[in-house]
Amino acid sequence: MNTAAAYAASFPTEKPVRFGVIGCSSIVPRALLEPARFVEDTAVVAVTNRTAAKAEMMAERYSIGTVYRTPAELLSDSQVDAVYIALSNDLHAEWIAKALNAGKHVLVEKPLCLHTDELGLIESALQPGGPCLLEGVMVRHHPWQDKLRAMVNDRSFGRLRLVETSLCIPAQNGHMDNYRSRPEQGGGCFRDLGVYWLQFLQTVAGLEGAGFQGQSSFDGPGGCDWTFQAQAEYPDGLSAVALFSFERPYRCSHTLTFEHAVVSLHDCFRANLGFYKMTLRIRQPGQIPAKTEFRPMNYYVNQLDHFCRMVRGMAAPVPFQESAERIRLLDSIYQSACQSSIK
């Protein structure tokens, strides 16, 4: 059951999609509360957090009507249609399953879960025609990805030979008092940023058949990976290399080398901060550099709009297996780096 039509009767279109927030992390305003102002018929009606004072402050600032002491109380509220889960990575699977079983649609921060063995718990809670689940990989919902996939598929510039990715975002305050500096909670740069690389590769080249490896010295706080390198080799000769870091200077980019052109996207996370124009730059030997520009968009507004259309039956749910494939690889690549570090 993959079409939007199959879900068209799942949610009344005449009422807003009412959200409850589980976890008041710093990403919540940027990913949900502010984008909700731009997505029609969307309302945030409840919030809960381990520290009640933090939930109360968020509720007051953003005019959220109800503060709950626990996530379980929020899930029992019949006025809540969907939940946005912004907990640490190790808690995602548990509360995704509980929310789906409570009949709530779920938008969860990436990664979907922390370990491969948690996928079964989530999948068992998904039912055909039931609540929707979307992993919040916000870049997925911008047309630059479709444009790059089209370039690869139609071989406008010949075969794709190399994909180079840098996702380096210096840690603010060293991610102190943050799950990103705690290995047991899924800390480190690769689990935080690697999902974006895998989703990008999944879109432009697919993931099946490629061999993946990772390396890190794991010298960050608590033994977290503060810099991580990863590679993928495809049977057709395509190579993909990536650098992730919480300690190197800011650089977020993708560069695709084709037989007859180099296509690059600089500052590829820019549109998560607001409505910004994104530009693909194209260089071909002997020709004037060209570019493809996209009107200003906000990744999180696009994501929230897509999620709400899924809930309303106006867009097909994103297949669970897309996220599951990424989680399996995320775990496998991370473990390969652990093994090489031990050696």
Side-chain angles (χ1 to χ4, degrees), residues 26-39 42 44 58 61-62 64 84 272-275 298 300-301 304:
S26 60
I27 195 63
V28 175
R30 193 193 315 169
L32 177 67
L33 302 179
E34 293 163 5
R37 296 185 291 124
F38 299 95
V39 178
T42 301
V44 181
M58 183 171 283
R61 179 173 180 183
Y62 291 96
I64 301 171
Y84 171 65
N272 87 89
L273 299 174
F275 288 84
N298 181 310
Y300 287 114
V301 171
L304 182 59

Side-chain angles (χ1 to χ4, degrees), residues 77-91:
D77 186 346
S78 62
Q79 300 300 305
V80 172
D81 305 306
V83 295
Y84 171 65
I85 298 175
L87 300 168
S88 58
N89 298 339
D90 58 314
L91 298 176

Side-chain angles (χ1 to χ4, degrees), residues 223-278:
C224 283
D225 53 302
W226 235 227
T227 293
F228 195 103
Q229 294 175 293
Q231 308 84 36
E233 297 293 336
Y234 287 76
D236 65 356
L238 170 64
S239 296
V241 296
L243 174 67
F244 312 93
S245 185
F246 282 159
E247 58 190 345
R248 299 199 181 190
Y250 180 88
R251 186 179 183 218
C252 292
S253 66
H254 298 293
T255 300
L256 290 79
T257 301
F258 295 84
E259 288 178 303
H260 309 303
V262 176
V263 181
S264 58
L265 176 67
H266 300 298
D267 203 359
C268 60
F269 279 174
R270 181 171 176 77
N272 87 89
L273 299 174
F275 288 84
Y276 289 102
K277 180 172 64 177
M278 304 297 289

Side-chain angles (χ1 to χ4, degrees), residues 74-121:
L74 185 147
L75 293 180
S76 69
D77 186 346
S78 62
Q79 300 300 305
V80 172
D81 305 306
V83 295
Y84 171 65
I85 298 175
L87 300 168
S88 58
N89 298 339
D90 58 314
L91 298 176
H92 286 187
E94 174 188 357
W95 288 103
I96 289 171
K98 288 180 176 178
L100 291 172
N101 288 329
K104 310 301 184 186
H105 303 281
V106 176
L107 173 59
V108 59
E109 268 304 311
K110 53 77 194 164
L112 182 75
C113 57
L114 189 53
H115 299 296
T116 300
D117 59 11
E118 295 174 317
L119 291 170
L121 175 65

Side-chain angles (χ1 to χ4, degrees), residues 7 12 20 29 50 54 66-67 70 84 87-88 98 130 153 176 206 208 232 234 238 257 272 289 311 323:
Y7 290 80
R50 180 177 58 84
K54 196 171 182 179
T66 305
V67 176
T70 67
Y84 171 65
L87 300 168
S88 58
K98 288 180 176 178
N153 290 343
M176 293 178 61
E208 188 175 353
Y234 287 76
L238 170 64
T257 301
N272 87 89
V311 169
S323 289

Side-chain angles (χ1 to χ4, degrees), residues 189-331:
C189 63
F190 183 64
R191 292 198 187 277
D192 195 54
L193 301 171
V195 66
Y196 293 114
W197 178 57
L198 292 175
Q199 184 278 321
F200 174 65
L201 289 181
Q202 193 175 44
T203 295
V204 300
L207 298 173
E208 188 175 353
F212 289 83
Q213 289 187 321
Q215 302 87 34
S216 176
S217 59
F218 296 97
D219 56 359
C224 283
D225 53 302
W226 235 227
T227 293
F228 195 103
Q229 294 175 293
Q231 308 84 36
E233 297 293 336
Y234 287 76
D236 65 356
L238 170 64
S239 296
V241 296
L243 174 67
F244 312 93
S245 185
F246 282 159
E247 58 190 345
R248 299 199 181 190
Y250 180 88
R251 186 179 183 218
C252 292
S253 66
H254 298 293
T255 300
L256 290 79
T257 301
F258 295 84
E259 288 178 303
H260 309 303
V262 176
V263 181
S264 58
L265 176 67
H266 300 298
D267 203 359
C268 60
F269 279 174
R270 181 171 176 77
N272 87 89
L273 299 174
F275 288 84
Y276 289 102
K277 180 172 64 177
M278 304 297 289
T279 303
L280 296 177
R281 302 185 184 278
I282 305 166
R283 292 182 287 117
Q284 294 178 269
Q287 296 190 27
I288 297 174
K291 60 185 178 181
T292 298
E293 294 184 337
F294 301 90
R295 64 178 176 83
M297 297 183 193
N298 181 310
Y299 287 145
Y300 287 114
V301 171
N302 289 3
Q303 175 176 272
L304 182 59
D305 178 69
H306 184 85
F307 178 76
C308 289
R309 287 190 293 111
M310 284 173 50
V311 169
R312 294 184 179 285
M314 299 168 65
V318 175
F320 169 75
Q321 292 307 323
E322 284 190 16
S323 289
E325 183 180 38
R326 294 193 295 264
I327 294 301
R328 292 188 183 99
L329 277 174
L330 200 71
D331 209 9

